[in-house]
Amino acid sequence: MAADTTDIDDIREQARRWLADDPDPASRDELTAMLDRLPTSAPELADRFAGPLTFGTAGLRGPLRAGPNGMNLAVVTQAAAGLVGWLAAQGGTGPLVIGYDARHGSRQFAERTAQVATGAGRPALLLPRPLPTPVLAYAVRKLGAVAGVMVTASHNPPQDNGYKVYLGAELGGELGAGAQIVPPADAGIEAAIRAVGPLTEVPLGRAGEVLGDDLVASYVERATAVIAPDGPRDLTVAYTPLHGVGAAVLTAAFARAGFPVPGVVPEQAEPDPAFPTVSFPNPEEPGAVDLLIALADSTGADLAIANDPDADRCAVVVRTGAPSARSEPASPAAASDDRQTWRMLRGDEVGALLADHLMRRGVTGLYATTIVSSSLLRAMCAARGLAYDETLTGFKWIVRAGGGSAPLVYGYEEALGYCVDPDHVRDKDGITAALTVAELAAGLKAQGRTLTDRLDELAAEFGVHHTDQLSVRVDDLREIADAMARIRAATPTTLLGHPVDSTQDLLPEADVVILRTGTARVVIRPSGTEPKLKAYLEVVEPVSDGDVAAARARAAAAIAQLRTEIAAALGL
C-alpha cells in the first residue's frame, strides 16, 4: 500500500507540474478533474504521464488528451518550438507553411504552430482551410518553404490527431524537397523538442499569413496536368471522402480535367471529425465503403473511388459482375466471394495498373515501391528495360529511391498510396492517383474493356502475383515484440512445402524479417503508425495455356495456406 501511495503522489506531482505550464484551459480542466478522481484515475493518469509522445519519422500521432503522452496544445506548442529552433540551428531560411485537416483540434494546432514560428521571427503561411495532405506537400515546393507541417492523423480513429513535418529543398536536398523527414532530421528535431524550456516562455506571434484560394487552384491545375488532355472522358464515378477533406479538391480536379463530376456519397460528403458512418475511417477496413458501393450500384457507376480522410490515399472499387437489381452494400472484406457485385482492388493491383499505364504512355525514369509491396513491378520494369528500386516502407523512402541515379517518375506502396507526379508532390497523393485511374478506366471503357481485363493481361504476361496481409491489432505492444522475437528464434525452414532459400533480418536499420522461397515471399514488421503486427504475403503462380482464372484459384488457395503457416509461426 505504501508503494501505491508513493506512486500516486508521484503521478499527482507530475500532473501538477504539467498543469502549471499547460496553455489550454480545456486541457487543464480535464487534468484537474482526473486529479480530483484519484486514486480511481491513477491507471489512466499513469498512462498519460508514462512518457512524452515521441517525435519520429512519422512526426507525432496519438490520442487527443491532456498530458505529455497525448496530442494537445501543450505538446504541439513544444513540438513547434523545437521544430522552429531546429530549423534556425540548421541555418534554414524561408517561411514555414502549415496545413490542417478537419479533425478535432487540427485548426487550433495549426494556428499555434504559426504563432510559435512568427514569435521566433520566421514567416508562417497557413493554408486557407482544411485541405488534403498532398496540397500541403505541393505548397512546400511551390512556395519555396523551408519546411511544412501538416496537422492530421490520416486514417486513424476519430479520437486521434497527428503532426507531420516536411522539409523544403534547402534542408531536404533535391530528393527530399517537399518530402517527409527521415533520419537524422527526426532525431535532431526530437532532441530540440526535449530541450524546449517552460512553455510560458515560448514567444508567440500572430497566427501567420492565411494563404488564398489561388494556391488550391494552382494545385488543381497541376493535378489535371498529370493526364493527357485529349483522352476519353466518358466515365461515371462514385466517390467518397469518408467524412474527410478530399471532396472539394477532387471534384474540382475531375471537372477541370473534363470528366463528369463524380457522384459523392451524401452521408460522407462533408468533413466531420466524428466520422459517424464508419467504425474506422480507413477505406481498407471492413464496411468502410459500404455506402460508396451502394451509391455506385444505384447510379450505374463504372467504378468507385474512396480517399482516406486527408486524401493522400486512394482506394478503387470495381464491378465483378452485372449490376444488381437493387443496392446491396458489400464489404471489401468479402472481396473473394463471387456473389459480390463489387470488390476493392488491392493496393498492389492499383499500383501495377498505374505503373503499366504510365509505361504504355511512354513515361521513362525510375519506378519504385517498397519491400512489402508486390514483386510484380520489379518484373514489369525488368521486362521493359526500366529503372527500378525498392525501399523501406513509407513515402519518405520511396521519393528518395535510387539515390538520384535516375529521376523518379512513379512510386507506390501497397497501403493505397501512389505518387504519379513526384516533380510537384513528393508524397502519396490520392487526388492525382484518382485522376490517373479515371484516365485509364475511361480509355479502357472506350475499347469495351475494364480495369480487371487489364489486370488479367498483366497476369497472363507476368504470372499471377497474389498478395494478402495478416494484420493483428494489439492492446499491449509487448505482444508485437514477443511475436517478432518468436519468428527470429524459430524461423520457418519451409513455406508451402518449399524450402526457405532466403532469410533477411533488417535489424538494426528496421524491425523487419523477410522470408523467400522460389514462389512465395513473406515480410513481417510492426506497423509504424498503429498498434498492429503485419505480415505481407505474396505467392507467384504462372499462367498455363492462358487460363488466368485457374492460376488465380491456385494462388488464392496457396495464400490461404501461407497465412495459416505464418500465423502459427508468429504464435498468433
Side-chain angles (χ1 to χ4, degrees), residues 386-413:
L386 293 165
Y388 170 83
D389 196 19
E390 199 170 278
T391 72
L392 293 175
T393 307
F395 263 84
K396 58 183 176 287
W397 300 117
I398 291 173
V399 298
R400 294 171 169 88
S405 58
L408 178 71
V409 293
Y410 174 71
Y412 94 91
E413 62 181 359

PDB file of all heavy atoms in Angstrom, residues 386-413:
ATOM      1  N   LEU A 386      13.250  -0.735 -67.737  1.00  0.00           N
ATOM      2  CA  LEU A 386      13.097   0.499 -66.970  1.00  0.00           C
ATOM      3  C   LEU A 386      13.782   0.376 -65.619  1.00  0.00           C
ATOM      4  O   LEU A 386      13.862  -0.713 -65.032  1.00  0.00           O
ATOM      5  CB  LEU A 386      11.618   0.818 -66.778  1.00  0.00           C
ATOM      6  CG  LEU A 386      10.865   1.195 -68.067  1.00  0.00           C
ATOM      7  CD1 LEU A 386       9.368   1.143 -67.846  1.00  0.00           C
ATOM      8  CD2 LEU A 386      11.298   2.571 -68.545  1.00  0.00           C
ATOM      9  N   ALA A 387      14.278   1.494 -65.106  1.00  0.00           N
ATOM     10  CA  ALA A 387      14.956   1.506 -63.808  1.00  0.00           C
ATOM     11  C   ALA A 387      13.958   1.199 -62.698  1.00  0.00           C
ATOM     12  O   ALA A 387      12.810   1.676 -62.725  1.00  0.00           O
ATOM     13  CB  ALA A 387      15.609   2.864 -63.569  1.00  0.00           C
ATOM     14  N   TYR A 388      14.414   0.449 -61.706  1.00  0.00           N
ATOM     15  CA  TYR A 388      13.543   0.011 -60.599  1.00  0.00           C
ATOM     16  C   TYR A 388      14.321   0.091 -59.294  1.00  0.00           C
ATOM     17  O   TYR A 388      15.526  -0.160 -59.257  1.00  0.00           O
ATOM     18  CB  TYR A 388      13.077  -1.430 -60.833  1.00  0.00           C
ATOM     19  CG  TYR A 388      12.364  -2.053 -59.643  1.00  0.00           C
ATOM     20  CD1 TYR A 388      11.017  -1.820 -59.429  1.00  0.00           C
ATOM     21  CD2 TYR A 388      13.054  -2.863 -58.736  1.00  0.00           C
ATOM     22  CE1 TYR A 388      10.358  -2.382 -58.344  1.00  0.00           C
ATOM     23  CE2 TYR A 388      12.413  -3.433 -57.656  1.00  0.00           C
ATOM     24  CZ  TYR A 388      11.056  -3.187 -57.453  1.00  0.00           C
ATOM     25  OH  TYR A 388      10.417  -3.738 -56.372  1.00  0.00           O
ATOM     26  N   ASP A 389      13.605   0.447 -58.224  1.00  0.00           N
ATOM     27  CA  ASP A 389      14.220   0.393 -56.904  1.00  0.00           C
ATOM     28  C   ASP A 389      13.163   0.019 -55.878  1.00  0.00           C
ATOM     29  O   ASP A 389      11.954   0.198 -56.098  1.00  0.00           O
ATOM     30  CB  ASP A 389      14.855   1.740 -56.532  1.00  0.00           C
ATOM     31  CG  ASP A 389      15.832   1.617 -55.354  1.00  0.00           C
ATOM     32  OD1 ASP A 389      16.276   0.488 -55.067  1.00  0.00           O
ATOM     33  OD2 ASP A 389      16.140   2.644 -54.723  1.00  0.00           O
ATOM     34  N   GLU A 390      13.642  -0.489 -54.754  1.00  0.00           N
ATOM     35  CA  GLU A 390      12.791  -0.988 -53.676  1.00  0.00           C
ATOM     36  C   GLU A 390      13.298  -0.391 -52.375  1.00  0.00           C
ATOM     37  O   GLU A 390      14.513  -0.394 -52.134  1.00  0.00           O
ATOM     38  CB  GLU A 390      12.913  -2.513 -53.650  1.00  0.00           C
ATOM     39  CG  GLU A 390      11.821  -3.256 -52.955  1.00  0.00           C
ATOM     40  CD  GLU A 390      11.955  -4.746 -53.217  1.00  0.00           C
ATOM     41  OE1 GLU A 390      11.498  -5.212 -54.278  1.00  0.00           O
ATOM     42  OE2 GLU A 390      12.561  -5.429 -52.366  1.00  0.00           O
ATOM     43  N   THR A 391      12.406   0.122 -51.557  1.00  0.00           N
ATOM     44  CA  THR A 391      12.812   0.838 -50.348  1.00  0.00           C
ATOM     45  C   THR A 391      12.123   0.283 -49.118  1.00  0.00           C
ATOM     46  O   THR A 391      11.237  -0.574 -49.211  1.00  0.00           O
ATOM     47  CB  THR A 391      12.456   2.336 -50.460  1.00  0.00           C
ATOM     48  OG1 THR A 391      11.026   2.485 -50.338  1.00  0.00           O
ATOM     49  CG2 THR A 391      12.917   2.934 -51.780  1.00  0.00           C
ATOM     50  N   LEU A 392      12.520   0.819 -47.971  1.00  0.00           N
ATOM     51  CA  LEU A 392      11.769   0.553 -46.752  1.00  0.00           C
ATOM     52  C   LEU A 392      10.369   1.155 -46.882  1.00  0.00           C
ATOM     53  O   LEU A 392      10.102   1.983 -47.753  1.00  0.00           O
ATOM     54  CB  LEU A 392      12.484   1.153 -45.549  1.00  0.00           C
ATOM     55  CG  LEU A 392      13.835   0.531 -45.174  1.00  0.00           C
ATOM     56  CD1 LEU A 392      14.477   1.301 -44.033  1.00  0.00           C
ATOM     57  CD2 LEU A 392      13.673  -0.936 -44.789  1.00  0.00           C
ATOM     58  N   THR A 393       9.484   0.748 -45.981  1.00  0.00           N
ATOM     59  CA  THR A 393       8.100   1.196 -46.053  1.00  0.00           C
ATOM     60  C   THR A 393       7.983   2.690 -45.783  1.00  0.00           C
ATOM     61  O   THR A 393       8.622   3.225 -44.891  1.00  0.00           O
ATOM     62  CB  THR A 393       7.250   0.430 -45.027  1.00  0.00           C
ATOM     63  OG1 THR A 393       7.445  -0.968 -45.232  1.00  0.00           O
ATOM     64  CG2 THR A 393       5.779   0.747 -45.182  1.00  0.00           C
ATOM     65  N   GLY A 394       7.151   3.359 -46.563  1.00  0.00           N
ATOM     66  CA  GLY A 394       6.882   4.772 -46.346  1.00  0.00           C
ATOM     67  C   GLY A 394       7.316   5.625 -47.513  1.00  0.00           C
ATOM     68  O   GLY A 394       8.358   5.381 -48.135  1.00  0.00           O
ATOM     69  N   PHE A 395       6.519   6.649 -47.820  1.00  0.00           N
ATOM     70  CA  PHE A 395       6.850   7.509 -48.952  1.00  0.00           C
ATOM     71  C   PHE A 395       8.062   8.383 -48.705  1.00  0.00           C
ATOM     72  O   PHE A 395       8.691   8.868 -49.643  1.00  0.00           O
ATOM     73  CB  PHE A 395       5.635   8.346 -49.363  1.00  0.00           C
ATOM     74  CG  PHE A 395       4.905   7.715 -50.502  1.00  0.00           C
ATOM     75  CD1 PHE A 395       3.967   6.720 -50.266  1.00  0.00           C
ATOM     76  CD2 PHE A 395       5.178   8.067 -51.803  1.00  0.00           C
ATOM     77  CE1 PHE A 395       3.317   6.097 -51.314  1.00  0.00           C
ATOM     78  CE2 PHE A 395       4.541   7.452 -52.863  1.00  0.00           C
ATOM     79  CZ  PHE A 395       3.605   6.463 -52.625  1.00  0.00           C
ATOM     80  N   LYS A 396       8.405   8.573 -47.452  1.00  0.00           N
ATOM     81  CA  LYS A 396       9.641   9.323 -47.188  1.00  0.00           C
ATOM     82  C   LYS A 396      10.840   8.607 -47.783  1.00  0.00           C
ATOM     83  O   LYS A 396      11.851   9.244 -48.125  1.00  0.00           O
ATOM     84  CB  LYS A 396       9.813   9.500 -45.675  1.00  0.00           C
ATOM     85  CG  LYS A 396       9.867   8.212 -44.871  1.00  0.00           C
ATOM     86  CD  LYS A 396       9.956   8.480 -43.390  1.00  0.00           C
ATOM     87  CE  LYS A 396       9.917   7.213 -42.561  1.00  0.00           C
ATOM     88  NZ  LYS A 396       8.561   6.596 -42.529  1.00  0.00           N
ATOM     89  N   TRP A 397      10.747   7.270 -47.899  1.00  0.00           N
ATOM     90  CA  TRP A 397      11.818   6.493 -48.534  1.00  0.00           C
ATOM     91  C   TRP A 397      11.596   6.346 -50.035  1.00  0.00           C
ATOM     92  O   TRP A 397      12.557   6.403 -50.818  1.00  0.00           O
ATOM     93  CB  TRP A 397      11.904   5.114 -47.885  1.00  0.00           C
ATOM     94  CG  TRP A 397      12.197   5.161 -46.424  1.00  0.00           C
ATOM     95  CD1 TRP A 397      11.389   4.730 -45.410  1.00  0.00           C
ATOM     96  CD2 TRP A 397      13.377   5.678 -45.798  1.00  0.00           C
ATOM     97  NE1 TRP A 397      11.985   4.954 -44.202  1.00  0.00           N
ATOM     98  CE2 TRP A 397      13.204   5.530 -44.402  1.00  0.00           C
ATOM     99  CE3 TRP A 397      14.549   6.268 -46.275  1.00  0.00           C
ATOM    100  CZ2 TRP A 397      14.169   5.936 -43.485  1.00  0.00           C
ATOM    101  CZ3 TRP A 397      15.508   6.678 -45.359  1.00  0.00           C
ATOM    102  CH2 TRP A 397      15.316   6.504 -43.988  1.00  0.00           C
ATOM    103  N   ILE A 398      10.356   6.134 -50.450  1.00  0.00           N
ATOM    104  CA  ILE A 398      10.069   5.937 -51.867  1.00  0.00           C
ATOM    105  C   ILE A 398      10.558   7.116 -52.702  1.00  0.00           C
ATOM    106  O   ILE A 398      11.163   6.937 -53.761  1.00  0.00           O
ATOM    107  CB  ILE A 398       8.560   5.708 -52.092  1.00  0.00           C
ATOM    108  CG1 ILE A 398       8.130   4.353 -51.503  1.00  0.00           C
ATOM    109  CG2 ILE A 398       8.209   5.758 -53.581  1.00  0.00           C
ATOM    110  CD1 ILE A 398       6.632   4.120 -51.542  1.00  0.00           C
ATOM    111  N   VAL A 399      10.292   8.349 -52.224  1.00  0.00           N
ATOM    112  CA  VAL A 399      10.666   9.516 -53.036  1.00  0.00           C
ATOM    113  C   VAL A 399      12.175   9.731 -53.072  1.00  0.00           C
ATOM    114  O   VAL A 399      12.666  10.528 -53.867  1.00  0.00           O
ATOM    115  CB  VAL A 399       9.959  10.797 -52.538  1.00  0.00           C
ATOM    116  CG1 VAL A 399       8.452  10.655 -52.660  1.00  0.00           C
ATOM    117  CG2 VAL A 399      10.352  11.148 -51.117  1.00  0.00           C
ATOM    118  N   ARG A 400      12.903   9.030 -52.230  1.00  0.00           N
ATOM    119  CA  ARG A 400      14.370   9.091 -52.254  1.00  0.00           C
ATOM    120  C   ARG A 400      14.970   7.854 -52.921  1.00  0.00           C
ATOM    121  O   ARG A 400      16.176   7.626 -52.847  1.00  0.00           O
ATOM    122  CB  ARG A 400      14.908   9.234 -50.836  1.00  0.00           C
ATOM    123  CG  ARG A 400      14.540  10.572 -50.166  1.00  0.00           C
ATOM    124  CD  ARG A 400      14.912  10.565 -48.687  1.00  0.00           C
ATOM    125  NE  ARG A 400      14.822  11.879 -48.073  1.00  0.00           N
ATOM    126  CZ  ARG A 400      13.715  12.386 -47.531  1.00  0.00           C
ATOM    127  NH1 ARG A 400      12.594  11.674 -47.547  1.00  0.00           N
ATOM    128  NH2 ARG A 400      13.719  13.592 -46.978  1.00  0.00           N
ATOM    129  N   ALA A 401      14.134   7.051 -53.575  1.00  0.00           N
ATOM    130  CA  ALA A 401      14.581   5.804 -54.195  1.00  0.00           C
ATOM    131  C   ALA A 401      15.648   6.081 -55.249  1.00  0.00           C
ATOM    132  O   ALA A 401      15.629   7.099 -55.937  1.00  0.00           O
ATOM    133  CB  ALA A 401      13.392   5.088 -54.845  1.00  0.00           C
ATOM    134  N   GLY A 402      16.562   5.161 -55.333  1.00  0.00           N
ATOM    135  CA  GLY A 402      17.603   5.250 -56.350  1.00  0.00           C
ATOM    136  C   GLY A 402      18.724   6.200 -56.032  1.00  0.00           C
ATOM    137  O   GLY A 402      19.726   6.248 -56.750  1.00  0.00           O
ATOM    138  N   GLY A 403      18.567   6.984 -54.968  1.00  0.00           N
ATOM    139  CA  GLY A 403      19.623   7.913 -54.579  1.00  0.00           C
ATOM    140  C   GLY A 403      19.980   8.931 -55.639  1.00  0.00           C
ATOM    141  O   GLY A 403      21.090   9.453 -55.661  1.00  0.00           O
ATOM    142  N   GLY A 404      19.031   9.228 -56.539  1.00  0.00           N
ATOM    143  CA  GLY A 404      19.301  10.201 -57.593  1.00  0.00           C
ATOM    144  C   GLY A 404      19.916   9.610 -58.842  1.00  0.00           C
ATOM    145  O   GLY A 404      20.277  10.341 -59.771  1.00  0.00           O
ATOM    146  N   SER A 405      20.049   8.286 -58.898  1.00  0.00           N
ATOM    147  CA  SER A 405      20.668   7.643 -60.066  1.00  0.00           C
ATOM    148  C   SER A 405      19.820   7.826 -61.323  1.00  0.00           C
ATOM    149  O   SER A 405      20.343   7.809 -62.446  1.00  0.00           O
ATOM    150  CB  SER A 405      20.866   6.149 -59.804  1.00  0.00           C
ATOM    151  OG  SER A 405      19.634   5.515 -59.493  1.00  0.00           O
ATOM    152  N   ALA A 406      18.513   7.972 -61.138  1.00  0.00           N
ATOM    153  CA  ALA A 406      17.597   8.232 -62.252  1.00  0.00           C
ATOM    154  C   ALA A 406      16.421   9.015 -61.683  1.00  0.00           C
ATOM    155  O   ALA A 406      16.076   8.862 -60.499  1.00  0.00           O
ATOM    156  CB  ALA A 406      17.112   6.921 -62.875  1.00  0.00           C
ATOM    157  N   PRO A 407      15.789   9.856 -62.471  1.00  0.00           N
ATOM    158  CA  PRO A 407      14.668  10.645 -61.956  1.00  0.00           C
ATOM    159  C   PRO A 407      13.472   9.755 -61.624  1.00  0.00           C
ATOM    160  O   PRO A 407      13.051   8.933 -62.455  1.00  0.00           O
ATOM    161  CB  PRO A 407      14.356  11.613 -63.088  1.00  0.00           C
ATOM    162  CG  PRO A 407      14.880  10.950 -64.315  1.00  0.00           C
ATOM    163  CD  PRO A 407      16.093  10.184 -63.882  1.00  0.00           C
ATOM    164  N   LEU A 408      12.928   9.910 -60.431  1.00  0.00           N
ATOM    165  CA  LEU A 408      11.740   9.154 -60.041  1.00  0.00           C
ATOM    166  C   LEU A 408      10.537   9.653 -60.840  1.00  0.00           C
ATOM    167  O   LEU A 408      10.267  10.854 -60.890  1.00  0.00           O
ATOM    168  CB  LEU A 408      11.469   9.328 -58.544  1.00  0.00           C
ATOM    169  CG  LEU A 408      10.219   8.620 -58.008  1.00  0.00           C
ATOM    170  CD1 LEU A 408      10.432   7.111 -57.987  1.00  0.00           C
ATOM    171  CD2 LEU A 408       9.872   9.120 -56.599  1.00  0.00           C
ATOM    172  N   VAL A 409       9.821   8.728 -61.473  1.00  0.00           N
ATOM    173  CA  VAL A 409       8.617   9.106 -62.214  1.00  0.00           C
ATOM    174  C   VAL A 409       7.361   8.494 -61.623  1.00  0.00           C
ATOM    175  O   VAL A 409       6.249   8.957 -61.899  1.00  0.00           O
ATOM    176  CB  VAL A 409       8.724   8.717 -63.706  1.00  0.00           C
ATOM    177  CG1 VAL A 409       9.808   9.542 -64.390  1.00  0.00           C
ATOM    178  CG2 VAL A 409       8.986   7.223 -63.886  1.00  0.00           C
ATOM    179  N   TYR A 410       7.529   7.474 -60.780  1.00  0.00           N
ATOM    180  CA  TYR A 410       6.359   6.832 -60.179  1.00  0.00           C
ATOM    181  C   TYR A 410       6.787   6.026 -58.965  1.00  0.00           C
ATOM    182  O   TYR A 410       7.822   5.351 -58.988  1.00  0.00           O
ATOM    183  CB  TYR A 410       5.681   5.893 -61.185  1.00  0.00           C
ATOM    184  CG  TYR A 410       4.557   5.074 -60.607  1.00  0.00           C
ATOM    185  CD1 TYR A 410       3.343   5.666 -60.260  1.00  0.00           C
ATOM    186  CD2 TYR A 410       4.706   3.703 -60.391  1.00  0.00           C
ATOM    187  CE1 TYR A 410       2.308   4.911 -59.719  1.00  0.00           C
ATOM    188  CE2 TYR A 410       3.672   2.942 -59.861  1.00  0.00           C
ATOM    189  CZ  TYR A 410       2.466   3.543 -59.527  1.00  0.00           C
ATOM    190  OH  TYR A 410       1.448   2.805 -59.001  1.00  0.00           O
ATOM    191  N   GLY A 411       5.985   6.103 -57.911  1.00  0.00           N
ATOM    192  CA  GLY A 411       6.221   5.284 -56.737  1.00  0.00           C
ATOM    193  C   GLY A 411       4.892   4.894 -56.118  1.00  0.00           C
ATOM    194  O   GLY A 411       3.909   5.627 -56.211  1.00  0.00           O
ATOM    195  N   TYR A 412       4.848   3.723 -55.499  1.00  0.00           N
ATOM    196  CA  TYR A 412       3.618   3.327 -54.813  1.00  0.00           C
ATOM    197  C   TYR A 412       3.953   2.406 -53.649  1.00  0.00           C
ATOM    198  O   TYR A 412       5.015   1.788 -53.590  1.00  0.00           O
ATOM    199  CB  TYR A 412       2.647   2.643 -55.795  1.00  0.00           C
ATOM    200  CG  TYR A 412       2.735   1.128 -55.826  1.00  0.00           C
ATOM    201  CD1 TYR A 412       1.939   0.342 -54.988  1.00  0.00           C
ATOM    202  CD2 TYR A 412       3.613   0.465 -56.690  1.00  0.00           C
ATOM    203  CE1 TYR A 412       2.017  -1.042 -55.011  1.00  0.00           C
ATOM    204  CE2 TYR A 412       3.689  -0.918 -56.725  1.00  0.00           C
ATOM    205  CZ  TYR A 412       2.886  -1.672 -55.876  1.00  0.00           C
ATOM    206  OH  TYR A 412       2.964  -3.045 -55.885  1.00  0.00           O
ATOM    207  N   GLU A 413       3.024   2.339 -52.701  1.00  0.00           N
ATOM    208  CA  GLU A 413       3.088   1.347 -51.636  1.00  0.00           C
ATOM    209  C   GLU A 413       1.739   0.655 -51.537  1.00  0.00           C
ATOM    210  O   GLU A 413       0.703   1.241 -51.879  1.00  0.00           O
ATOM    211  CB  GLU A 413       3.481   1.979 -50.297  1.00  0.00           C
ATOM    212  CG  GLU A 413       2.526   3.015 -49.763  1.00  0.00           C
ATOM    213  CD  GLU A 413       2.999   3.615 -48.452  1.00  0.00           C
ATOM    214  OE1 GLU A 413       4.060   3.206 -47.954  1.00  0.00           O
ATOM    215  OE2 GLU A 413       2.297   4.494 -47.920  1.00  0.00           O
TER     216      GLU A 413
END
